[in-house]
Structures are given as C-alpha cells and as structure tokens.
C-alpha cells in the first residue's frame, strides 16, 4: 500500500506540473496577442492537435503482430462512419467503444486470424 | 441560461467520455490501496487525465516526486499551445480566469474551439460552464471508479478506447470547421516522424514540429501578401 501522504504530495506535484503548461500562452505580452501569426496558429493548431492525439492514443496498439491493430482500425472506421452518418458525438463514441470492447474482450479477431 | 444550455449540450460528449474514463482511472488507482475518495481527489486537484493514468504506475513504483513532476510536465507540454486560441474568450476576472486556465484540458479545449457564442458576455459564461461541467464529470467518474473498485472486480479491457473515439470525433469536427486539409497532413507527417524517432516523447516532439511548420507557413503567407 502506498503511503497516503506521499500520494497526496504527488497530487500537488502533478497539479504544479500541469498549470504552467496551461498558463504559458496567457503570459505572452498583450501587444503580441493580435499578432497575425498567433491567430493563424490558433486557428490551424486545433485540427492538427486532434489528429496527433488520435495517433498518440494508437501508440499502444500492436500493428506488427496479432491482432495487427485490426480492433483499433475497425473501431475507428465505426466511429467515422457513425459520425458522418448522424454527426452525433455521443452516438459515434458509444458505437466505436462498444465495437472495440467487444473485439478486445472476446478476442474474436485473434481467433479468426488463427483460422487463416 | 442560454450559455448554460449551450454549454451543457456541447459538453455531453465529454460527459460520456470522462465518466467511463474516470471510472477506469478510479479502478486502476484503487490498486494502490488508498481510500476510495483519493481517486476523486486526484481528479479534482490534478485534472489531467493522461498524466493521472501515467502516474498510477509511478506511484506504485514509489517514484520520486521529481520524476513524477517531469513525467507530468512532458505529457502536458501539448497544453502549451492551447491558450493561443483563448485570449479573446476568457473573462479577465482574477479568480475565474485562473480556474479556466487550470481546466483547459484536451477535451475542454476541443469543445471551446468548436463553439463560440456571438455575445462576449454570453461566450465567457459559456467557457466557464463548459470548464466547470467537464471538471465535475471528471471528478464524478474518478470518484465513482474508486468507489466501485473498492467493492467489485471488473473487466475494463477496451474501455480506454473512449478517449481515442473522442479525439477521432473532435478531429472530424475540426475538419468540418476549418475545411482545410493541410493541418491534418502536417500532423500526420509530424506524428509519424515522432513515432519513429522518439516514441516516448511523441506528443511534445510532434507538437513542436507542427508548431514550427505552421509558424513557417504563416510567415510565408505574410511575405506573399506584403
């Protein structure tokens, strides 16, 4: 069992390490805030960051051995298809996650690949 | 009330992302043997999901506080650029503004950049409600996971896909909003390069590349116009 005071101190340390990263842009002097380049980055950074976060989430997937990232790819296809169909965030996330949990917990992809 | 309704509606996908993810975190956190509400406390004080997940392993290994600090910092470096889209939106109030900055998670940022209300005051209230609601969902999920984990055994394999699915949806929404392909092309290339070169620091590394390329592209555009 972890020492409780150690865990509580760790929480404070984690909070102290998180806030500076979030406050950084607000420390940029006011005169630069209407800067055209900062606006450009503010507009086009979000889409790029979202794709990076998707790639980051897929880091744990195994693409070089069974199941070759098939559960991840299939589930993402489900999310994208559902979202293009209804454009309802909750529905897309729910269907995709159900698909993934089903594929992972039943191990169905591994069994099919073993048959090949 | 209009601001609250809009905020609640926009935050619903986060509700369904944060609660299961928070529960998964709480279940995992419980393996440390702390009282059940510590998981909720972690959500309340830290409010950085990926860092909280990461630190469960570090805490279990009794890592030094310095190691925990640097692990959290490197994982959260991606937040360094978030506020650049928020200058004109957050209230100047000296209590509310720090709270909004504290609560600027990936998901809050995504929701806020996807919707902007016309009226400045309404928009400030919208930002505040979205942040507060998301924070509440996260604490609720973490606490619930801690409570459930202290009572039952669960098969949580695959639950973490909620986070992936959430980012896929948000990426699609961004694509609908900006209607340009280049940010995704740049991110795809930078992400692939980062995964090859330094997978352990994938996020800060790829973010730095993307930031540099976008800045370069912006400077180039200015030269042509001038």
């Amino acid at each position: 069992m972890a020492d409780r005071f150690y865990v509580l101190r760790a929480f404070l340390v984690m909070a102290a390490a998180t806030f500076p990263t979030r406050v950084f842009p607000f420390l940029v002097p006011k005169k630069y805030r209407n800067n055209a380049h900062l606006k450009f980055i503010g507009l086009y950074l979000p889409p790029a960051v979202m794709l990076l976060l998707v790639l980051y989430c897929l880091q744990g997937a195994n693409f070089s051995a069974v199941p070759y990232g098939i559960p991840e790819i299939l589930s993402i296809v489900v999310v994208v298809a559902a979202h293009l169909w209804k454009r309802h965030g909750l529905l897309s996330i729910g269907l995709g996650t159900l698909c993934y949990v089903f594929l992972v917990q039943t191990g169905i992809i591994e069994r099919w690949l073993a048959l090949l | 009330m209009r601001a609250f309704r809009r905020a609640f509606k926009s935050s619903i996908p986060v509700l369904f992302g944060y609660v299961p993810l928070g529960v998964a975190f709480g279940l995992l956190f419980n393996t440390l043997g702390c009282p059940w509400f510590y998981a909720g406390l972690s959500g309340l004080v830290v409010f950085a999901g990926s860092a909280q997940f990461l630190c469960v392993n570090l805490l279990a290994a009794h890592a030094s506080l310095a190691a925990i600090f640097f692990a959290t910092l490197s994982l959260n470096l991606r937040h360094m650029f978030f506020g650049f889209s928020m200058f004109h939106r957050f209230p100047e109030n000296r209590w509310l503004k720090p709270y909004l900055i504290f609560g600027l998670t990936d998901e809050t940022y995504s929701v806020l950049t996807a919707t902007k209300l016309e009226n400045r005051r309404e928009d400030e209230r919208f930002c505040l409600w979205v942040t507060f609601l998301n924070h509440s969902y996260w604490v609720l999920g973490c606490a619930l996971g801690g409570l459930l984990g202290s009572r039952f055994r669960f098969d949580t394999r695959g639950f973490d896909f909620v986070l992936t699915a959430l980012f896929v949806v948000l990426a699609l929404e961004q694509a609908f909003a900006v209607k340009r392909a280049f940010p995704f092309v740049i991110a795809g290339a930078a992400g692939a390069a980062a995964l090859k070169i330094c997978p352990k620091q994938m996020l800060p590394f790829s973010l730095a590349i993307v930031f540099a390329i976008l800045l370069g592209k912006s400077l180039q555009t200015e030269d042509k116009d001038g």
Side-chain angles (χ1 to χ4, degrees), chain A residues 97-116:
Chain A
T97 306
L98 273 180
C99 172
Y100 188 73
V101 168
F102 173 78
L103 293 177
V104 168
Q105 295 202 355
T106 60
I108 197 163
I109 299 289
E110 286 87 339
R111 265 184 279 162
W112 282 352
L113 287 173
L115 292 177
L116 293 176

Side-chain angles (χ1 to χ4, degrees), chain A residues 52-107:
Chain A
L52 286 181
L53 288 169
V54 173
L55 296 176
Y56 171 73
C57 285
L58 292 176
Q59 244 185 328
N62 193 344
F63 289 97
S64 55
V66 173
Y68 302 105
I70 294 171
E72 284 80 8
I73 293 166
L74 278 181
S75 307
I76 285 177
V77 168
V78 168
V79 175
V80 173
H83 206 65
L84 294 177
W85 175 44
K86 289 281 187 186
R87 206 175 165 180
H88 189 295
L90 164 59
L91 184 77
S92 319
I93 293 165
L95 288 177
T97 306
L98 273 180
C99 172
Y100 188 73
V101 168
F102 173 78
L103 293 177
V104 168
Q105 295 202 355
T106 60

Side-chain angles (χ1 to χ4, degrees), chain A residues 37, chain B residues 216-226:
Chain A
H37 303 304
Chain B
K217 201 171 157 55
S218 179
L219 291 168
Q220 203 183 22
T221 314
E222 186 188 49
D223 289 346
K224 273 182 207 154
D225 293 346

Side-chain angles (χ1 to χ4, degrees), chain B residues 26-142:
Chain B
L27 292 173
L28 189 67
F29 186 83
N30 248 59
T31 57
L32 293 174
C34 292
W36 69 271
F37 61 87
Y38 270 45
L41 196 64
S42 172
L44 184 73
V45 175
V46 183
F47 197 24
S50 51
Q52 283 174 247
F53 267 99
L54 178 84
C55 284
V56 172
N57 291 329
L58 293 176
L59 289 172
H62 274 267
S64 70
L65 292 177
I68 289 171
F69 181 86
F70 286 112
T72 307
L73 191 69
S74 64
L75 202 60
N76 283 329
L77 276 181
R78 67 184 185 280
H79 293 141
M80 281 191 59
F81 308 104
F82 282 10
F84 281 119
S85 324
M86 295 294 150
F87 291 145
H88 307 283
R89 302 198 48 196
F90 284 180
E92 284 303 325
N93 182 294
R94 91 184 134 117
W95 296 109
L96 295 179
K97 195 178 177 187
Y99 175 68
L100 284 164
I101 293 171
F102 161 81
L104 201 55
T105 62
D106 299 311
E107 291 75 15
T108 304
Y109 175 70
S110 313
V111 170
L112 292 182
T113 48
T115 309
K116 185 171 190 263
L117 301 192
E118 288 297 318
N119 180 292
R120 173 74 203 244
R121 288 244 163 270
E122 288 276 301
D123 192 51
E124 287 178 358
R125 275 197 286 270
F126 173 77
C127 291
L128 189 62
W129 278 118
V130 168
T131 305
F132 177 73
L133 285 168
N134 287 355
H135 195 191
S136 310
Y137 303 152
W138 180 243
V139 174
L140 181 76
C142 293

